[in-house]
């Protein structure tokens, strides 16, 4: 194992099986869990509001780390309850037109948020893999004149990395604000130079923070003062914010570039091993620089059942991704495999062997 992998494993409780599900929820470290627990205890000792004041420097450090990782300042970053909450906040607060451009492979629950808030979508052009075509997209933006553009930098349903900086440049030229969903990209890919006007993420995925928390970074002026004031006065789970702040600190200490490089290697390794499984098709190219791998099953095999049996019989955690995750792009459910930096070849080979017989 690499040093990074060893440190990652040593920093958290051991798994009950094989965890290949960081795109759904990574495993928290002892330090993140302990920080949240210690804060809850401190609330009981000194009072919740006094404890929050004491936690302010650590929370500020968390926002500063999230800002540095997304190209924003600490004051541009707010904690949310998740990625979906961040998008809902942005769209509810938006004072302009309601035409929003996104890719055909846009995350299904995001499309629901957009529709509920009265937005209608126009498509940005993409290639056969679902990857944005920057030149065609620039022309589409000029023709369609949407009020906003929204790009999910890395999907939940497919490990294809979107060329966000290219679309950001086109948006800037047209004066169209760009919102980036980095729920899968943050703490996984380099998000520091997206050029977006807003970037949001959840905590529990590649960052390995607690559940029920997220982050939203916006350029000054994008959110109204009223929205910022509402956020400042909302009741929040301070303990979870601290857990996330500690996870961010650990990510920065481990070296974001180091983690990005290792996760790209993990993706290539996963796809190489799983390509050998008869009947299953790996969707991504081997060298796609993400650690999300999806597989379409052989005819007659239900990924939901395969996922359940892998957990029940072998303690192997993966995700079944249904077509509702990307209704404009997926035609069949897939099995998603998303290991973190510590995966071993033996673990991937075990999964490959089981997929070969589970049919
Ligand atoms: C998980 C996910 C979300 C939603 O995140 P929550 O924190 O659960 O709201 C949004 N977009 C993508 C691409 C995701 O993978």
């Amino acid at each position: 194992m690499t040093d990074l992998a060893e440190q990652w494993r040593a920093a958290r409780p051991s798994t009950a099986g094989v965890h290949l599900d960081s795109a759904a929820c990574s495993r928290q470290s002892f330090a993140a869990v302990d920080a949240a627990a210690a804060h809850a205890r401190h609330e009981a000792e000194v009072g919740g509001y006094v404890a929050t004041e004491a936690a302010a420097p650590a929370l500020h450090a968390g926002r500063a780390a999230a800002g540095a990782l997304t190209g924003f300042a600490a004051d541009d970053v707010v904690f949310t309850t998740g990625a979906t909450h961040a998008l809902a906040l942005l769209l509810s607060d938006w004072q302009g037109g309601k035409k929003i451009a996104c890719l055909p492979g846009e995350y299904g629950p995001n499309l629901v948020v957009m529709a509920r808030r009265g937005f209608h979508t126009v498509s940005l052009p993409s290639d056969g893999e679902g990857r944005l075509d920057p030149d065609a997209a620039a022309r589409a933006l000029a023709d369609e004149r949407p009020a906003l553009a929204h790009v999910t930098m890395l999907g939940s349903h497919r490990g294809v990395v979107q060329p966000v900086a290219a679309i950001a440049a086109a948006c800037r030229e047209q004066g169209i604000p760009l919102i980036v969903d980095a729920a899968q990209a943050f703490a996984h890919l380099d998000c520091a130079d997206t050029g977006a006007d807003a970037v949001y993420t959840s905590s529990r995925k590649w960052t390995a923070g607690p559940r029920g928390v997220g982050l939203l970074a916006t350029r000054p002026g994008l959110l109204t003062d009223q929205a910022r004031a509402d956020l400042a006065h909302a009741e929040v789970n301070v303990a979870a914010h601290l857990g996330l702040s500690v996870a961010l600190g650990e990510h920065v200490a481990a070296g974001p570039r180091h983690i990005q490089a290792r996760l790209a290697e993990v993706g290539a390794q996963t796809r190489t091993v799983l390509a050998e499984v008869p009947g299953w098709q790996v969707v991504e190219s081997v060298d796609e620089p993400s650690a999300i791998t999806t597989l379409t099953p052989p005819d007659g095999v239900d990924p939901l059942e395969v996922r359940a049996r892998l957990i029940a019989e072998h303690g192997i955690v993966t995700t079944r991704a249904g077509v509702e995750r990307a209704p404009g792009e997926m035609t069949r459910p897939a099995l998603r495999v998303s290991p973190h930096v510590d995966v071993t070849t033996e673990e991937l080979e075990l999964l490959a062997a089981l997929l070969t017989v589970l049919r």
Side-chain angles (χ1 to χ4, degrees):
M1 252 197 233
T2 63
D3 288 353
L4 179 62
E6 269 174 22
Q7 282 163 18
W8 178 270
R9 274 207 179 181
R12 55 207 78 229
S14 51
T15 54
V18 180
H19 188 278
L20 305 174
D21 209 21
S22 286
C25 188
S26 284
R27 305 193 313 110
Q28 286 192 74
S29 69
F30 290 116
V33 171
D34 290 351
H39 183 77
R41 200 162 53 233
H42 200 219
E43 286 178 340
E45 287 162 357
V46 302
Y49 290 83
V50 178
T52 296
E53 282 171 38
L59 296 170
H60 186 272
R63 288 190 292 110
L69 292 165
T70 50
F72 289 84
D75 287 346
D76 301 333
V77 178
V78 290
F79 291 104
T80 63
T81 61
T84 308
H85 178 212
L87 178 61
L89 265 171
L90 281 166
L91 297 187
S92 308
D93 187 49
W94 174 248
Q95 308 292 309
K98 298 259 180 171
K99 193 198 262 197
I100 188 163
C102 45
L103 282 160
E106 181 54 59
Y107 184 58
N110 286 351
L111 294 171
V112 172
V113 171
M114 292 170 191
R116 286 237 175 100
R117 279 158 189 79
F119 282 80
H120 65 275
T121 55
V122 290
S123 257
L124 291 169
S126 59
D127 66 13
E129 279 184 301
R131 199 187 318 271
L132 178 102
D133 175 340
D135 293 335
R139 289 194 295 275
L141 289 174
D143 291 347
E144 292 277 0
R145 304 290 316 151
L148 286 172
H150 181 279
V151 173
T152 295
M153 187 166 167
L154 177 61
S156 161
H157 70 295
R158 191 175 287 182
V160 170
V161 179
Q162 299 296 345
V164 167
I167 187 71
C171 285
R172 210 169 316 119
E173 202 150 290
Q174 304 286 334
I176 299 166
L178 172 67
I179 302 172
V180 167
D181 174 346
Q184 294 295 350
F186 185 80
H188 182 176
L189 313 174
D190 185 356
C191 298
D193 298 311
T194 62
D197 297 275
V199 178
Y200 63 86
T201 186
S202 55
S203 144
R204 70 185 185 280
K205 296 176 181 175
W206 300 93
T207 317
R211 298 193 59 178
V213 199
L215 293 159
L216 167 62
T218 51
R219 92 170 139 64
L222 188 72
L223 282 176
T224 60
D225 291 345
Q226 185 60 52
R228 293 189 70 92
D230 289 350
L231 274 166
H233 293 116
E235 169 59 8
V236 294
N237 186 338
V238 179
H241 292 182
L242 273 174
L244 170 54
S245 297
V246 167
L248 287 164
E250 291 184 305
H251 178 78
V252 170
R257 288 199 186 282
H258 202 179
I259 290 183
Q260 288 156 26
R262 172 64 188 149
L263 288 176
E265 187 178 273
V266 162
Q269 191 185 1
T270 304
R271 294 177 202 120
T272 302
V273 171
L274 296 180
E276 301 301 319
V277 181
W280 291 79
Q281 288 293 325
V282 174
V283 174
E284 300 78 13
S285 319
V286 169
D287 56 0
E288 187 68 36
S290 82
I292 293 180
T293 295
T294 57
L295 298 130
T296 47
D299 286 339
V301 174
D302 180 0
L304 191 61
E305 202 179 306
V306 171
R307 172 191 177 267
R309 286 189 60 186
L310 286 171
I311 293 172
E313 297 169 20
H314 306 280
I316 301 180
V317 191
T318 61
T319 291
R320 178 261 193 184
V323 295
E324 68 284 351
R325 287 193 188 232
E329 191 161 270
M330 288 182 89
T331 52
R332 309 171 56 187
L335 188 74
R336 185 182 65 190
V337 180
S338 55
H340 217 298
V341 293
D342 58 333
V343 74
T344 63
T345 308
E346 293 71 36
E347 288 171 336
L348 294 171
E349 282 172 351
L350 173 63
L351 175 65
L354 291 169
L355 288 179
T356 303
V357 296
L358 276 181
R359 25 207 315 189

